[in-house]
Amino acid sequence: MPGARRSLASPVVSGVLCPCGSPHGSAVESGSGGGGSGGGGNAGSSGRSLCEASEQDRRLRALFQKLDVNRDGALCIHDLAVGLGRLGLHRTELDLRKIVKAGDKDLDGQLDFEEFVHYLQDHEKKLRLVFKSLDKKNDGRIDAQEIVQSLRDLGVKISEQQAEKILKSMDKNGTMTIDWNEWRDYHLLHPVENIPEIILYWKHSTIFDVGENLTVPDEFTVEERQTGMWWRHLVAGGGAGAVSRTCTAPLDRLKVLMQVHASRSNNMCIIGGFTQMIREGGPRSLWRGNGINVLKIAPESAIKFMAYEQIKRFIGTDQEMLRIHERLLAGSLAGAIAQSSIYPMEVLKTRMALRKTGQYSGMLDCAKNILAKEGMAAFYKGYIPNMLGIIPYAGIDLAVYETLKNTWLQRYAVNSADPGVFVLLACGTISSTCGQLASYPLALVRTRMQAQASVEGAPEVTMRGLFKHILKTEGAFGLYRGLAPNFMKVIPAVSISYVVYENLKMTLGVDSR
C-alpha cells in the first residue's frame, strides 16, 4: 500500500505550493500532469503570471488547517503526527521535533501559521539548492548515475543498485528518475538538516589561519573519517598555517613588541617598530619567535581534533553534524584542552619574540633559562586571560561566519550553494577579524603577563591588576596596542593559507570541493 499513500500525499502537498515553484532555469514544468490539483495546469507559461500571493496563501492555509488536528491555531508535535499520517506522510517523533524546532521562532513549542509558512519557504529553498546540485545534467531530473556521482563527490561510494533503491523511495510515477515535484513532495515536510553540499562548500576553520588557533574545529563526515580524508585535511591545514604564519611573522612580532613595550610615553609606530627591530638584530630578527609558533601547530591541531571528537560523543548528539551552540560548546572545550596542553609553547613564543640579540642560543636554551630562574609556574603566565579569550573569539567568529553564510545562501544562492573563493575569503576574513577584535584586550593582557616575568625585579601582576593599571595609565586605547599590525596580517594570512591549503589538498589527493 505505500504507493497509495504517495498518490494521496502528492496532490495535497503539491497543490499547496505555487505551481511555478520549479527550480529557476531547470527543465521541470511543475504543472505537467497535475492540472487537477491546482486548476492551472493548462495555463502553460502564463500560469506563472497568474500565480498570485493570495492564492498561495489560501493553499497554505488549507494545508495548515488539515494539519491543525485540535483546531487551536497552532501545530504541535501531536498535530503534525496525526495530520501528516492522514496525508500518508509518516514521520518519526524525532523528525517532527526537528520540524517544530526549525520553525519555532517564539520558542513556545509549536508553530503558528506565520512560523509554518516561513519554515516551508525556507526549507523549500534549501531543497531547491540540493536538487540543483544533484542535477548534474541540468535536465530537471535526477537519475541513479547522478546520485552515485554526487555521493562520490562527498566521499561516499555506493553502487548503482543502491542508488536505484534511493530513487524508488521518492519516484511516484515509476520512471526511475525524480523531477522537482517528486523531490519536493518527498522532503518538504521532512527535516533535512546539514545539507552535505552546503557543508562541503562552506567549511571554514581548517582553511583560515590568522595566527590565533582559537577557532572551532571543522566537522568531518563519517566517510571522511573512515577513508582517512580527515587527517589529509588536517595536514593540509597545518601546512597552510605554517606557510601563512611564516609569511606574516614580521607583523606578528611587531604586534607582540607593541603590546608589551608601547605606551603613551613610548609611542611605537609600524615603520618605527620595523626600523628598530632591523637596527637591533638585522632583517633575520623580524622572524624571531616564528619557529616555535609554527612548531606548535601540529600538536595543537591534533589535540584539538581528538578532544572535539570525544566531547561530541560526551554530548551524546544523535546527529553526525552538531548544531551551532553545540559546536561552540564542543569547540571551546576542545580549544581549552588543546591550549592547556601546549601553553608553555605560547610563553616560549612570546619570550623568543621579545628576546635581544644573543640573549638565548635557541628555543631549548630559552626554556632552560626560564625553568632555572623562574620555575615551572612561569610557563603558565597569562593562562587565565588566554582561556577566557577562547569564548569571545570562537563564539563571535562562528556566529559572524554562520550569519554571513546564511545571508549569502538566502539572498544569492539561486543555482548553487557554492559561494566561490572570493565570498569564502571575505566571510572568513570578516569573522576572524570580529573574533580577534572581541578578544583582543584579553590577548594583550595575556602577552604582557607572559613577558612580565622576564623583567628582573618586576612585581608579580594579576590579570585584574594589569587591566586596572592599563586603564588608569593609558585608557581604553591601551588595551588595543598592536591592533594595527594584527589586522594588517589578517588578509594576507587568510589569502596565503587558502592558496597553500588548496594546493596541498591536491598534492595529498583530497578531492577539490
Side-chain angles (χ1 to χ4, degrees), residues 479-492:
L479 294 172
Y480 290 90
R481 298 278 180 192
L483 190 65
N486 188 63
F487 278 177
M488 282 173 66
K489 73 179 179 132
V490 170
I491 292 177

Side-chain angles (χ1 to χ4, degrees), residues 170-213:
M170 292 178 260
D171 180 28
K172 293 194 288 282
N173 54 17
T175 60
M176 287 309 291
T177 60
I178 309 164
D179 63 19
W180 163 242
N181 285 331
E182 290 171 321
W183 172 264
R184 180 192 60 197
D185 294 354
Y186 184 84
H187 288 293
L188 190 62
L189 286 164
H190 191 288
V192 180
E193 295 184 355
N194 301 311
I195 295 166
E197 180 81 357
I198 294 174
I199 289 170
L200 283 174
Y201 280 128
W202 286 90
K203 286 242 181 173
H204 168 41
S205 57
T206 303
I207 298 172
F208 306 109
D209 189 301
V210 291
E212 297 284 347
N213 197 3

Side-chain angles (χ1 to χ4, degrees), residues 216-260:
V216 175
D218 254 336
E219 295 282 353
F220 292 106
T221 63
V222 171
E223 291 71 30
E224 282 176 321
R225 289 196 286 268
Q226 288 174 347
T227 58
M229 284 295 167
W230 65 271
W231 70 261
R232 298 184 190 187
H233 282 291
L234 288 179
V235 169
V243 175
S244 168
R245 292 185 186 193
T246 300
C247 291
T248 58
L251 285 166
D252 191 64
R253 186 179 180 224
L254 178 62
K255 176 196 76 174
V256 173
L257 288 172
M258 291 177 78
Q259 285 179 330
V260 175

Side-chain angles (χ1 to χ4, degrees), residues 14 32 41 47 91 129 140 173 232 244 295 302 320 362 407 426 456 493 499:
S14 293
S32 62
R91 303 290 182 243
L129 282 174
N173 54 17
R232 298 184 190 187
S244 168
L295 204 60
E320 184 181 311
T407 302
E456 287 187 26
V499 171

Side-chain angles (χ1 to χ4, degrees), residues 485-502:
N486 188 63
F487 278 177
M488 282 173 66
K489 73 179 179 132
V490 170
I491 292 177
V494 168
S495 305
I496 292 164
S497 59
Y498 184 85
V499 171
V500 176
Y501 178 76
E502 289 298 316

Side-chain angles (χ1 to χ4, degrees), residues 5 44 95 100 166 179 181 200 234 286 293 311 315 334 361 394 455:
R5 282 178 180 170
D95 287 342
V100 172
I166 295 171
D179 63 19
N181 285 331
L200 283 174
L234 288 179
L286 296 174
N293 197 30
I311 293 164
I315 289 174
S361 60
V455 181

